[in-house]
Amino acid sequence: MIPLAIGVGVVVLLLILILPLAIKIVREYQRLMVFRLGRAIGAKGPGLVLLIPFVDKGVWVDLRELYLEIPHQAAITEDNATISIDFIVFYRVVDARMSVVEVGNFAGAAQNIAATTLRSVVGDMSLDDVLAKREAMNEILRVKLDEVTERWGVKVTNVEIREIIPPPQVQDAMTRQMSAERTRRAVVTEAEGAKQAAITVAEGNKQSAILNAEGDRQAAILRAEGFALALTKIFESARGVDAKTMSLQYLEALKQIGQSASTKFVIPMEFTNLLSGITDYAEQTFGNGRAGT
């Protein structure tokens, strides 16, 4: 009985040791690259994968998108300015077999390739372009890195430059330029405000002048209408006045002239006609009186 119990115990122990080596659970975002006696037989998963203990060996591959931080790298621009740049490389495995078989340390290889590619890209650009065309640099780096990592079964999905540190002299010049630009904007804004204020004042003066002119015109129209109405009234009144009344008015006017200090008198010709009428009227009146007596 004792040897049997020992044998059962050994079998159970072997099962406990062997089962974890023989049964693998592969998640959806993983693949298990299986090597049988050193020969790659393919990527397995997801789900339950059975291996032959001590014969098969599995290498885990993560298919999710990962990132690799590239620390600050010194590079020289086309116009001989030394700058420091750090960036992030986003990638994902598209071929599990190639990512295991074709490259031994992808992270180290990608970091060195990224640093070399960065220096090549920056060397073809001026400092102003490096500072201003960050998006273009990201795309150029992504394309160049993807061309290299494609043979490893890895796809570079994105490259993002995080920080660009120019030389101290350039930083000082940029600070002065930024200050000058802000001063210029302030002057332009102030001038624009003064211009708008002057335009507003001119518009106000224009409207005021228009209103004043319109008021004068309306007043002149009203005065002209009043004068015309007065003339109409005078004309209507004059139409009812006979020659005798007009003659008396002329005599009254002569009386007023006679009281003045003037030595010369201007008598209109129409006045003689009026006097003849008055003379005839007087003769008729007084002549009839004498005849009656």
Side-chain angles (χ1 to χ4, degrees), residues 172-218:
D172 294 340
M174 290 172 62
T175 301
R176 292 194 300 270
Q177 181 181 5
M178 181 175 60
S179 177
E181 179 64 20
R182 289 181 177 175
T183 303
R184 184 189 68 82
R185 290 180 181 177
V187 172
V188 170
T189 302
E190 184 178 358
E192 188 67 22
K195 174 184 175 182
Q196 292 298 327
I199 292 174
T200 303
V201 171
E203 287 291 334
N205 293 334
K206 175 183 175 182
Q207 294 296 327
S208 177
I210 291 173
L211 293 176
N212 290 334
E214 183 66 21
D216 293 341
R217 186 180 72 86
Q218 293 294 334

mmCIF file of all heavy atoms in Angstrom, residues 172-218:
data_model
loop_
_atom_site.group_PDB
_atom_site.id
_atom_site.type_symbol
_atom_site.label_atom_id
_atom_site.label_comp_id
_atom_site.label_asym_id
_atom_site.label_seq_id
_atom_site.Cartn_x
_atom_site.Cartn_y
_atom_site.Cartn_z
ATOM 1 N N ASP A 172 16.385 83.463 -26.132
ATOM 2 C CA ASP A 172 16.380 84.898 -25.824
ATOM 3 C C ASP A 172 15.822 85.701 -26.991
ATOM 4 O O ASP A 172 15.029 86.637 -26.802
ATOM 5 C CB ASP A 172 17.799 85.369 -25.495
ATOM 6 C CG ASP A 172 18.332 84.748 -24.209
ATOM 7 O OD1 ASP A 172 17.505 84.285 -23.395
ATOM 8 O OD2 ASP A 172 19.570 84.706 -24.031
ATOM 9 N N ALA A 173 16.233 85.343 -28.210
ATOM 10 C CA ALA A 173 15.727 86.055 -29.390
ATOM 11 C C ALA A 173 14.227 85.857 -29.548
ATOM 12 O O ALA A 173 13.493 86.790 -29.896
ATOM 13 C CB ALA A 173 16.460 85.574 -30.642
ATOM 14 N N MET A 174 13.761 84.654 -29.271
ATOM 15 C CA MET A 174 12.323 84.376 -29.358
ATOM 16 C C MET A 174 11.552 85.180 -28.324
ATOM 17 O O MET A 174 10.449 85.679 -28.599
ATOM 18 C CB MET A 174 12.074 82.874 -29.176
ATOM 19 C CG MET A 174 12.558 82.014 -30.330
ATOM 20 S SD MET A 174 12.449 80.252 -29.978
ATOM 21 C CE MET A 174 10.695 80.048 -29.751
ATOM 22 N N THR A 175 12.123 85.322 -27.129
ATOM 23 C CA THR A 175 11.457 86.116 -26.087
ATOM 24 C C THR A 175 11.352 87.579 -26.503
ATOM 25 O O THR A 175 10.303 88.213 -26.347
ATOM 26 C CB THR A 175 12.240 85.995 -24.768
ATOM 27 O OG1 THR A 175 12.303 84.609 -24.375
ATOM 28 C CG2 THR A 175 11.558 86.787 -23.673
ATOM 29 N N ARG A 176 12.440 88.121 -27.044
ATOM 30 C CA ARG A 176 12.402 89.513 -27.505
ATOM 31 C C ARG A 176 11.429 89.686 -28.655
ATOM 32 O O ARG A 176 10.696 90.682 -28.727
ATOM 33 C CB ARG A 176 13.807 89.960 -27.919
ATOM 34 C CG ARG A 176 14.796 90.078 -26.767
ATOM 35 C CD ARG A 176 16.033 90.845 -27.190
ATOM 36 N NE ARG A 176 16.729 90.191 -28.289
ATOM 37 C CZ ARG A 176 17.691 89.282 -28.139
ATOM 38 N NH1 ARG A 176 18.066 88.913 -26.908
ATOM 39 N NH2 ARG A 176 18.284 88.740 -29.176
ATOM 40 N N GLN A 177 11.430 88.716 -29.559
ATOM 41 C CA GLN A 177 10.505 88.793 -30.690
ATOM 42 C C GLN A 177 9.049 88.748 -30.225
ATOM 43 O O GLN A 177 8.201 89.481 -30.728
ATOM 44 C CB GLN A 177 10.783 87.637 -31.665
ATOM 45 C CG GLN A 177 9.882 87.646 -32.895
ATOM 46 C CD GLN A 177 10.178 86.481 -33.813
ATOM 47 O OE1 GLN A 177 10.988 85.619 -33.493
ATOM 48 N NE2 GLN A 177 9.522 86.442 -34.961
ATOM 49 N N MET A 178 8.771 87.881 -29.255
ATOM 50 C CA MET A 178 7.413 87.782 -28.732
ATOM 51 C C MET A 178 7.003 89.089 -28.061
ATOM 52 O O MET A 178 5.871 89.562 -28.236
ATOM 53 C CB MET A 178 7.320 86.625 -27.737
ATOM 54 C CG MET A 178 5.941 86.408 -27.147
ATOM 55 S SD MET A 178 5.873 84.950 -26.082
ATOM 56 C CE MET A 178 7.092 85.391 -24.843
ATOM 57 N N SER A 179 7.944 89.710 -27.298
ATOM 58 C CA SER A 179 7.636 90.982 -26.658
ATOM 59 C C SER A 179 7.371 92.066 -27.696
ATOM 60 O O SER A 179 6.426 92.859 -27.568
ATOM 61 C CB SER A 179 8.791 91.390 -25.738
ATOM 62 O OG SER A 179 8.546 92.649 -25.148
ATOM 63 N N ALA A 180 8.218 92.100 -28.742
ATOM 64 C CA ALA A 180 8.017 93.101 -29.798
ATOM 65 C C ALA A 180 6.697 92.882 -30.529
ATOM 66 O O ALA A 180 5.996 93.841 -30.876
ATOM 67 C CB ALA A 180 9.183 93.044 -30.786
ATOM 68 N N GLU A 181 6.344 91.628 -30.743
ATOM 69 C CA GLU A 181 5.084 91.333 -31.430
ATOM 70 C C GLU A 181 3.892 91.765 -30.594
ATOM 71 O O GLU A 181 2.916 92.326 -31.122
ATOM 72 C CB GLU A 181 5.009 89.831 -31.722
ATOM 73 C CG GLU A 181 3.731 89.375 -32.419
ATOM 74 C CD GLU A 181 3.577 89.960 -33.807
ATOM 75 O OE1 GLU A 181 4.587 90.403 -34.389
ATOM 76 O OE2 GLU A 181 2.442 89.980 -34.315
ATOM 77 N N ARG A 182 3.973 91.534 -29.296
ATOM 78 C CA ARG A 182 2.875 91.974 -28.432
ATOM 79 C C ARG A 182 2.768 93.495 -28.400
ATOM 80 O O ARG A 182 1.661 94.049 -28.404
ATOM 81 C CB ARG A 182 3.090 91.429 -27.020
ATOM 82 C CG ARG A 182 2.874 89.918 -26.914
ATOM 83 C CD ARG A 182 3.078 89.423 -25.510
ATOM 84 N NE ARG A 182 2.795 87.992 -25.406
ATOM 85 C CZ ARG A 182 2.976 87.278 -24.306
ATOM 86 N NH1 ARG A 182 3.422 87.868 -23.199
ATOM 87 N NH2 ARG A 182 2.690 85.981 -24.285
ATOM 88 N N THR A 183 3.928 94.181 -28.381
ATOM 89 C CA THR A 183 3.903 95.644 -28.421
ATOM 90 C C THR A 183 3.284 96.132 -29.729
ATOM 91 O O THR A 183 2.484 97.077 -29.744
ATOM 92 C CB THR A 183 5.323 96.192 -28.269
ATOM 93 O OG1 THR A 183 5.893 95.704 -27.033
ATOM 94 C CG2 THR A 183 5.324 97.704 -28.261
ATOM 95 N N ARG A 184 3.674 95.495 -30.819
ATOM 96 C CA ARG A 184 3.113 95.879 -32.121
ATOM 97 C C ARG A 184 1.601 95.679 -32.147
ATOM 98 O O ARG A 184 0.851 96.538 -32.634
ATOM 99 C CB ARG A 184 3.759 95.051 -33.227
ATOM 100 C CG ARG A 184 3.310 95.437 -34.637
ATOM 101 C CD ARG A 184 3.825 94.444 -35.658
ATOM 102 N NE ARG A 184 3.192 93.156 -35.505
ATOM 103 C CZ ARG A 184 1.986 92.847 -36.013
ATOM 104 N NH1 ARG A 184 1.305 93.761 -36.698
ATOM 105 N NH2 ARG A 184 1.478 91.653 -35.842
ATOM 106 N N ARG A 185 1.142 94.565 -31.619
ATOM 107 C CA ARG A 185 -0.299 94.307 -31.597
ATOM 108 C C ARG A 185 -1.030 95.345 -30.748
ATOM 109 O O ARG A 185 -2.128 95.782 -31.100
ATOM 110 C CB ARG A 185 -0.567 92.902 -31.053
ATOM 111 C CG ARG A 185 -0.135 91.779 -31.993
ATOM 112 C CD ARG A 185 -0.439 90.421 -31.395
ATOM 113 N NE ARG A 185 -0.005 89.341 -32.260
ATOM 114 C CZ ARG A 185 -0.106 88.048 -31.948
ATOM 115 N NH1 ARG A 185 -0.635 87.696 -30.775
ATOM 116 N NH2 ARG A 185 0.305 87.125 -32.798
ATOM 117 N N ALA A 186 -0.395 95.736 -29.628
ATOM 118 C CA ALA A 186 -1.030 96.748 -28.781
ATOM 119 C C ALA A 186 -1.135 98.074 -29.514
ATOM 120 O O ALA A 186 -2.170 98.758 -29.454
ATOM 121 C CB ALA A 186 -0.227 96.912 -27.479
ATOM 122 N N VAL A 187 -0.061 98.459 -30.234
ATOM 123 C CA VAL A 187 -0.087 99.723 -30.991
ATOM 124 C C VAL A 187 -1.132 99.666 -32.090
ATOM 125 O O VAL A 187 -1.892 100.628 -32.313
ATOM 126 C CB VAL A 187 1.312 100.013 -31.573
ATOM 127 C CG1 VAL A 187 1.264 101.204 -32.514
ATOM 128 C CG2 VAL A 187 2.309 100.270 -30.452
ATOM 129 N N VAL A 188 -1.177 98.529 -32.791
ATOM 130 C CA VAL A 188 -2.166 98.383 -33.870
ATOM 131 C C VAL A 188 -3.579 98.439 -33.317
ATOM 132 O O VAL A 188 -4.468 99.095 -33.884
ATOM 133 C CB VAL A 188 -1.927 97.055 -34.620
ATOM 134 C CG1 VAL A 188 -3.084 96.759 -35.574
ATOM 135 C CG2 VAL A 188 -0.622 97.105 -35.395
ATOM 136 N N THR A 189 -3.792 97.778 -32.183
ATOM 137 C CA THR A 189 -5.124 97.800 -31.572
ATOM 138 C C THR A 189 -5.510 99.207 -31.145
ATOM 139 O O THR A 189 -6.652 99.650 -31.349
ATOM 140 C CB THR A 189 -5.147 96.862 -30.358
ATOM 141 O OG1 THR A 189 -4.794 95.538 -30.770
ATOM 142 C CG2 THR A 189 -6.531 96.816 -29.742
ATOM 143 N N GLU A 190 -4.552 99.934 -30.551
ATOM 144 C CA GLU A 190 -4.833 101.308 -30.136
ATOM 145 C C GLU A 190 -5.138 102.190 -31.342
ATOM 146 O O GLU A 190 -6.072 103.013 -31.313
ATOM 147 C CB GLU A 190 -3.637 101.857 -29.362
ATOM 148 C CG GLU A 190 -3.860 103.259 -28.801
ATOM 149 C CD GLU A 190 -2.669 103.742 -27.988
ATOM 150 O OE1 GLU A 190 -1.705 102.963 -27.836
ATOM 151 O OE2 GLU A 190 -2.706 104.889 -27.514
ATOM 152 N N ALA A 191 -4.345 102.044 -32.418
ATOM 153 C CA ALA A 191 -4.589 102.838 -33.623
ATOM 154 C C ALA A 191 -5.938 102.497 -34.244
ATOM 155 O O ALA A 191 -6.660 103.383 -34.709
ATOM 156 C CB ALA A 191 -3.462 102.599 -34.633
ATOM 157 N N GLU A 192 -6.265 101.224 -34.231
ATOM 158 C CA GLU A 192 -7.564 100.817 -34.771
ATOM 159 C C GLU A 192 -8.702 101.406 -33.950
ATOM 160 O O GLU A 192 -9.721 101.845 -34.500
ATOM 161 C CB GLU A 192 -7.654 99.287 -34.783
ATOM 162 C CG GLU A 192 -8.878 98.734 -35.493
ATOM 163 C CD GLU A 192 -8.875 98.986 -36.976
ATOM 164 O OE1 GLU A 192 -7.785 99.198 -37.539
ATOM 165 O OE2 GLU A 192 -9.967 98.988 -37.569
ATOM 166 N N GLY A 193 -8.518 101.428 -32.623
ATOM 167 C CA GLY A 193 -9.541 102.030 -31.776
ATOM 168 C C GLY A 193 -9.694 103.520 -32.040
ATOM 169 O O GLY A 193 -10.814 104.046 -32.107
ATOM 170 N N ALA A 194 -8.549 104.225 -32.189
ATOM 171 C CA ALA A 194 -8.614 105.654 -32.490
ATOM 172 C C ALA A 194 -9.286 105.895 -33.841
ATOM 173 O O ALA A 194 -10.070 106.840 -34.010
ATOM 174 C CB ALA A 194 -7.206 106.249 -32.479
ATOM 175 N N LYS A 195 -8.968 105.033 -34.793
ATOM 176 C CA LYS A 195 -9.587 105.159 -36.122
ATOM 177 C C LYS A 195 -11.097 104.986 -36.043
ATOM 178 O O LYS A 195 -11.861 105.773 -36.618
ATOM 179 C CB LYS A 195 -8.977 104.121 -37.064
ATOM 180 C CG LYS A 195 -9.625 104.058 -38.432
ATOM 181 C CD LYS A 195 -9.028 102.941 -39.269
ATOM 182 C CE LYS A 195 -9.765 102.792 -40.597
ATOM 183 N NZ LYS A 195 -9.209 101.675 -41.394
ATOM 184 N N GLN A 196 -11.533 103.950 -35.344
ATOM 185 C CA GLN A 196 -12.965 103.716 -35.201
ATOM 186 C C GLN A 196 -13.643 104.863 -34.467
ATOM 187 O O GLN A 196 -14.766 105.264 -34.815
ATOM 188 C CB GLN A 196 -13.197 102.398 -34.463
ATOM 189 C CG GLN A 196 -12.787 101.160 -35.244
ATOM 190 C CD GLN A 196 -13.583 101.000 -36.525
ATOM 191 O OE1 GLN A 196 -14.757 101.359 -36.589
ATOM 192 N NE2 GLN A 196 -12.944 100.462 -37.545
ATOM 193 N N ALA A 197 -12.943 105.416 -33.433
ATOM 194 C CA ALA A 197 -13.525 106.550 -32.710
ATOM 195 C C ALA A 197 -13.668 107.758 -33.628
ATOM 196 O O ALA A 197 -14.692 108.462 -33.607
ATOM 197 C CB ALA A 197 -12.651 106.889 -31.506
ATOM 198 N N ALA A 198 -12.620 108.030 -34.441
ATOM 199 C CA ALA A 198 -12.692 109.168 -35.366
ATOM 200 C C ALA A 198 -13.814 108.977 -36.382
ATOM 201 O O ALA A 198 -14.547 109.919 -36.720
ATOM 202 C CB ALA A 198 -11.347 109.335 -36.084
ATOM 203 N N ILE A 199 -13.946 107.746 -36.872
ATOM 204 C CA ILE A 199 -15.025 107.463 -37.835
ATOM 205 C C ILE A 199 -16.386 107.684 -37.187
ATOM 206 O O ILE A 199 -17.301 108.262 -37.783
ATOM 207 C CB ILE A 199 -14.883 106.020 -38.367
ATOM 208 C CG1 ILE A 199 -13.639 105.898 -39.240
ATOM 209 C CG2 ILE A 199 -16.122 105.612 -39.152
ATOM 210 C CD1 ILE A 199 -13.332 104.482 -39.689
ATOM 211 N N THR A 200 -16.506 107.229 -35.930
ATOM 212 C CA THR A 200 -17.781 107.399 -35.228
ATOM 213 C C THR A 200 -18.106 108.873 -35.029
ATOM 214 O O THR A 200 -19.246 109.315 -35.226
ATOM 215 C CB THR A 200 -17.726 106.680 -33.878
ATOM 216 O OG1 THR A 200 -17.423 105.296 -34.084
ATOM 217 C CG2 THR A 200 -19.055 106.787 -33.146
ATOM 218 N N VAL A 201 -17.076 109.671 -34.618
ATOM 219 C CA VAL A 201 -17.295 111.113 -34.433
ATOM 220 C C VAL A 201 -17.672 111.773 -35.756
ATOM 221 O O VAL A 201 -18.582 112.620 -35.821
ATOM 222 C CB VAL A 201 -16.029 111.754 -33.833
ATOM 223 C CG1 VAL A 201 -16.147 113.273 -33.835
ATOM 224 C CG2 VAL A 201 -15.802 111.253 -32.415
ATOM 225 N N ALA A 202 -16.962 111.406 -36.826
ATOM 226 C CA ALA A 202 -17.260 111.986 -38.138
ATOM 227 C C ALA A 202 -18.683 111.634 -38.582
ATOM 228 O O ALA A 202 -19.405 112.479 -39.122
ATOM 229 C CB ALA A 202 -16.242 111.495 -39.166
ATOM 230 N N GLU A 203 -19.067 110.392 -38.357
ATOM 231 C CA GLU A 203 -20.425 109.985 -38.696
ATOM 232 C C GLU A 203 -21.444 110.785 -37.894
ATOM 233 O O GLU A 203 -22.482 111.207 -38.418
ATOM 234 C CB GLU A 203 -20.601 108.488 -38.448
ATOM 235 C CG GLU A 203 -19.902 107.594 -39.457
ATOM 236 C CD GLU A 203 -20.541 107.676 -40.826
ATOM 237 O OE1 GLU A 203 -21.739 108.001 -40.890
ATOM 238 O OE2 GLU A 203 -19.848 107.426 -41.825
ATOM 239 N N GLY A 204 -21.126 111.010 -36.591
ATOM 240 C CA GLY A 204 -22.037 111.800 -35.762
ATOM 241 C C GLY A 204 -22.145 113.232 -36.254
ATOM 242 O O GLY A 204 -23.243 113.796 -36.332
ATOM 243 N N ASN A 205 -20.978 113.825 -36.604
ATOM 244 C CA ASN A 205 -21.013 115.189 -37.135
ATOM 245 C C ASN A 205 -21.778 115.259 -38.448
ATOM 246 O O ASN A 205 -22.517 116.216 -38.713
ATOM 247 C CB ASN A 205 -19.584 115.705 -37.340
ATOM 248 C CG ASN A 205 -18.842 115.885 -36.023
ATOM 249 O OD1 ASN A 205 -19.477 116.100 -34.979
ATOM 250 N ND2 ASN A 205 -17.524 115.799 -36.044
ATOM 251 N N LYS A 206 -21.580 114.231 -39.269
ATOM 252 C CA LYS A 206 -22.291 114.190 -40.546
ATOM 253 C C LYS A 206 -23.795 114.131 -40.332
ATOM 254 O O LYS A 206 -24.566 114.880 -40.958
ATOM 255 C CB LYS A 206 -21.817 112.984 -41.350
ATOM 256 C CG LYS A 206 -22.567 112.764 -42.656
ATOM 257 C CD LYS A 206 -22.076 111.495 -43.350
ATOM 258 C CE LYS A 206 -22.915 111.209 -44.588
ATOM 259 N NZ LYS A 206 -22.473 109.957 -45.250
ATOM 260 N N GLN A 207 -24.229 113.252 -39.456
ATOM 261 C CA GLN A 207 -25.656 113.138 -39.173
ATOM 262 C C GLN A 207 -26.200 114.434 -38.571
ATOM 263 O O GLN A 207 -27.312 114.865 -38.903
ATOM 264 C CB GLN A 207 -25.904 111.962 -38.222
ATOM 265 C CG GLN A 207 -25.592 110.596 -38.819
ATOM 266 C CD GLN A 207 -26.496 110.270 -39.991
ATOM 267 O OE1 GLN A 207 -27.664 110.673 -40.030
ATOM 268 N NE2 GLN A 207 -25.954 109.545 -40.966
ATOM 269 N N SER A 208 -25.375 115.057 -37.682
ATOM 270 C CA SER A 208 -25.816 116.325 -37.092
ATOM 271 C C SER A 208 -25.969 117.405 -38.156
ATOM 272 O O SER A 208 -26.939 118.170 -38.160
ATOM 273 C CB SER A 208 -24.801 116.761 -36.026
ATOM 274 O OG SER A 208 -25.163 118.013 -35.489
ATOM 275 N N ALA A 209 -24.978 117.485 -39.082
ATOM 276 C CA ALA A 209 -25.063 118.476 -40.154
ATOM 277 C C ALA A 209 -26.270 118.222 -41.047
ATOM 278 O O ALA A 209 -26.962 119.157 -41.465
ATOM 279 C CB ALA A 209 -23.767 118.447 -40.981
ATOM 280 N N ILE A 210 -26.515 116.943 -41.324
ATOM 281 C CA ILE A 210 -27.677 116.606 -42.156
ATOM 282 C C ILE A 210 -28.965 117.025 -41.470
ATOM 283 O O ILE A 210 -29.874 117.611 -42.084
ATOM 284 C CB ILE A 210 -27.672 115.095 -42.468
ATOM 285 C CG1 ILE A 210 -26.509 114.744 -43.400
ATOM 286 C CG2 ILE A 210 -29.001 114.663 -43.093
ATOM 287 C CD1 ILE A 210 -26.325 113.262 -43.642
ATOM 288 N N LEU A 211 -29.057 116.746 -40.175
ATOM 289 C CA LEU A 211 -30.260 117.127 -39.435
ATOM 290 C C LEU A 211 -30.417 118.649 -39.375
ATOM 291 O O LEU A 211 -31.533 119.175 -39.515
ATOM 292 C CB LEU A 211 -30.207 116.537 -38.026
ATOM 293 C CG LEU A 211 -30.305 115.004 -37.935
ATOM 294 C CD1 LEU A 211 -30.144 114.547 -36.496
ATOM 295 C CD2 LEU A 211 -31.636 114.514 -38.491
ATOM 296 N N ASN A 212 -29.284 119.373 -39.164
ATOM 297 C CA ASN A 212 -29.365 120.834 -39.134
ATOM 298 C C ASN A 212 -29.800 121.394 -40.484
ATOM 299 O O ASN A 212 -30.632 122.312 -40.551
ATOM 300 C CB ASN A 212 -28.008 121.421 -38.746
ATOM 301 C CG ASN A 212 -27.664 121.143 -37.287
ATOM 302 O OD1 ASN A 212 -28.561 120.968 -36.462
ATOM 303 N ND2 ASN A 212 -26.381 121.100 -36.972
ATOM 304 N N ALA A 213 -29.219 120.843 -41.549
ATOM 305 C CA ALA A 213 -29.598 121.305 -42.886
ATOM 306 C C ALA A 213 -31.066 121.014 -43.174
ATOM 307 O O ALA A 213 -31.788 121.837 -43.748
ATOM 308 C CB ALA A 213 -28.707 120.643 -43.935
ATOM 309 N N GLU A 214 -31.494 119.831 -42.728
ATOM 310 C CA GLU A 214 -32.905 119.486 -42.932
ATOM 311 C C GLU A 214 -33.805 120.420 -42.146
ATOM 312 O O GLU A 214 -34.861 120.859 -42.634
ATOM 313 C CB GLU A 214 -33.129 118.031 -42.501
ATOM 314 C CG GLU A 214 -34.547 117.515 -42.720
ATOM 315 C CD GLU A 214 -34.904 117.420 -44.188
ATOM 316 O OE1 GLU A 214 -33.983 117.366 -45.028
ATOM 317 O OE2 GLU A 214 -36.119 117.409 -44.495
ATOM 318 N N GLY A 215 -33.371 120.781 -40.925
ATOM 319 C CA GLY A 215 -34.164 121.712 -40.132
ATOM 320 C C GLY A 215 -34.228 123.093 -40.779
ATOM 321 O O GLY A 215 -35.294 123.725 -40.836
ATOM 322 N N ASP A 216 -33.047 123.556 -41.302
ATOM 323 C CA ASP A 216 -33.039 124.860 -41.982
ATOM 324 C C ASP A 216 -33.929 124.832 -43.222
ATOM 325 O O ASP A 216 -34.634 125.811 -43.527
ATOM 326 C CB ASP A 216 -31.604 125.231 -42.367
ATOM 327 C CG ASP A 216 -30.732 125.487 -41.145
ATOM 328 O OD1 ASP A 216 -31.306 125.734 -40.065
ATOM 329 O OD2 ASP A 216 -29.485 125.410 -41.270
ATOM 330 N N ARG A 217 -33.864 123.719 -43.929
ATOM 331 C CA ARG A 217 -34.692 123.626 -45.136
ATOM 332 C C ARG A 217 -36.174 123.667 -44.791
ATOM 333 O O ARG A 217 -36.965 124.375 -45.438
ATOM 334 C CB ARG A 217 -34.365 122.327 -45.882
ATOM 335 C CG ARG A 217 -35.062 122.188 -47.229
ATOM 336 C CD ARG A 217 -34.674 120.887 -47.890
ATOM 337 N NE ARG A 217 -35.280 119.758 -47.207
ATOM 338 C CZ ARG A 217 -36.514 119.302 -47.475
ATOM 339 N NH1 ARG A 217 -37.265 119.905 -48.387
ATOM 340 N NH2 ARG A 217 -36.990 118.276 -46.827
ATOM 341 N N GLN A 218 -36.553 122.924 -43.764
ATOM 342 C CA GLN A 218 -37.955 122.928 -43.359
ATOM 343 C C GLN A 218 -38.384 124.313 -42.882
ATOM 344 O O GLN A 218 -39.490 124.792 -43.184
ATOM 345 C CB GLN A 218 -38.173 121.897 -42.237
ATOM 346 C CG GLN A 218 -37.990 120.446 -42.675
ATOM 347 C CD GLN A 218 -39.054 120.021 -43.669
ATOM 348 O OE1 GLN A 218 -40.166 120.581 -43.688
ATOM 349 N NE2 GLN A 218 -38.715 119.044 -44.496
#
